[in-house]
Amino acid sequence: MVRAGTAVVAALRDDIDRLLAAEPDVRADAWDSVHQMRVATRRLRSVLRSYRTLFEATPIAEMQQELKWLAGLLGVARDAEVRAERFTALLAAHAPQDEFARLAAKSTAPKAAGNGYAPSTTEYVRTELVDAERERYRNAHAEILAALDHHRYHTLRHRLSAWRTDPPLDPEQSKQPAAEVFERILRRDRKRLRRLVYAEPTVSPAERVDLLHDIRKAAKRLRYSCEAATDVLGSAAKDLGTEAKHLQTVLGDHRDAVDSRIAILARAAEAHDTGVDATIYELLADAEEIAAGEALAKYPAAAAFVSG
């Protein structure tokens, strides 16, 4: 019989290794490195939350707080990175092509002073959207580097390294059969998700976006708890985790489009106040509204598994 403590330590070790392995790439600002470290941090925090009954309460609460701090730092940079990529794709797809070509040509041409070049509306929008987010990313990444050199992160890393083999397990709970404990945890996480999904048709339109975000977070929690249980429960946990991941992805696409549209409209209002033509902003905002609707159309089918 595999004991719950033994099984959860193995799952925890994998998550800790993912987090610690991402640090060198984040320091080097390698592509997608911030995203990978953020996912590893949030995944570890989620697993500790779902499997909390197997651990001593106080050290887990302290670790949760430190992981929340780290995820928050990484999140500022990652959100800016996502918006920059999304705005770039939107401009390429929806800005007037002659304007976009002109912008591309100008970006590769020598920057001679007094050459009579007048910035296009597309270039202005690109600066306000894409370049601004890239600057936010650079500033946030600098803050991450400072945090990684701080004693708070060093303490966290040292503690996580120790937890790879010796986390603060509850001596009684960890002796239980792993299959029984893990099945109970997955049922609980699935039930939490089901309650939120069932509540969604009852809320007002104003409340719906936030509730869908909560559903996404609950789906992500279920996904991670399933992935931590796969070695113990096999295909049942794997298949449920796949369903939860799909729901998380659908609602993530919806949330990204909603947040992007809000940011674009805010910039449009600022542009209007300064006398800049806001037509392109409005076009991009309309495109994101369509994207949000397309993602949301997939939601009922993606959420259907929670009733099973």
Side-chain angles (χ1 to χ4, degrees), residues 9-257:
V9 168
L12 204 64
R13 184 184 303 120
D14 288 344
D15 291 334
I16 292 171
D17 287 347
R18 287 189 187 94
L19 194 162
L20 298 180
E23 181 186 336
D25 285 342
V26 170
R27 288 184 177 276
D29 201 14
W31 181 82
D32 203 42
S33 58
V34 170
H35 175 53
Q36 293 304 318
M37 191 173 192
R38 184 193 191 195
V39 168
T41 303
R42 296 172 80 173
R43 178 189 179 107
L44 178 58
R45 185 166 175 244
S46 182
V47 169
L48 288 174
R49 186 186 300 114
S50 288
Y51 291 82
R52 63 188 180 277
T53 57
L54 295 174
F55 299 96
E56 295 177 358
T58 299
I60 289 299
E62 293 171 351
M63 178 61 75
Q64 289 278 19
Q65 191 64 31
E66 293 306 286
L67 291 172
K68 181 180 180 180
W69 162 74
L70 180 59
L73 282 172
L74 296 165
V76 175
R78 176 56 182 167
D79 290 346
E81 187 176 43
V82 168
R83 285 192 297 266
E85 293 172 354
R86 194 170 188 98
F87 293 157
T88 298
L90 280 168
L91 281 167
H94 300 288
Q97 292 306 301
D98 56 339
E99 290 271 20
F100 204 77
R102 182 168 175 255
L103 173 58
K106 192 258 181 180
S107 68
T108 58
K111 302 210 173 29
N115 61 4
Y117 176 79
S120 67
T121 302
T122 304
E123 181 176 4
Y124 176 85
V125 173
R126 180 184 178 87
T127 299
E128 290 296 299
L129 293 179
V130 179
D131 293 352
E133 294 300 338
R134 288 175 176 165
E135 180 64 20
R136 287 187 180 89
Y137 173 85
R138 286 189 290 269
N139 292 337
H141 187 263
E143 291 189 16
I144 292 170
L145 294 182
L148 294 181
D149 289 332
H150 195 270
H151 69 84
R152 183 175 183 178
Y153 175 73
H154 292 173
T155 301
L156 172 60
R157 182 174 60 190
H158 177 74
R159 189 176 301 168
L160 287 173
S161 296
W163 280 24
R164 291 183 69 258
T165 55
D166 189 27
L169 294 171
D170 181 280
E172 294 302 320
Q173 295 294 325
S174 61
K175 293 177 183 178
Q176 297 182 49
E180 293 180 11
V181 174
F182 284 22
E183 285 175 354
R184 184 166 64 244
I185 288 169
L186 297 197
R187 285 197 302 270
R188 184 186 64 207
D189 283 355
R190 184 172 184 166
K191 185 177 180 180
R192 178 181 297 103
L193 174 59
R194 183 186 298 123
R195 284 200 302 270
L196 293 171
V197 170
Y198 283 2
E200 183 269 329
T202 69
V203 300
S204 69
E207 298 171 311
R208 193 182 188 204
V209 171
D210 286 341
L211 180 55
L212 289 171
H213 185 52
D214 289 341
I215 292 171
R216 176 178 177 251
K217 290 190 292 185
K220 180 164 56 177
R221 177 170 172 176
L222 176 59
R223 169 197 170 185
Y224 290 153
S225 62
C226 285
E227 290 175 354
T230 296
D231 286 347
V232 173
L233 301 179
S235 60
K238 182 179 179 180
D239 293 346
L240 181 58
T242 298
E243 297 273 19
K245 181 180 179 180
H246 177 57
L247 176 57
Q248 173 196 338
T249 300
V250 166
L251 292 181
D253 291 343
H254 173 259
R255 184 74 180 195
D256 286 348

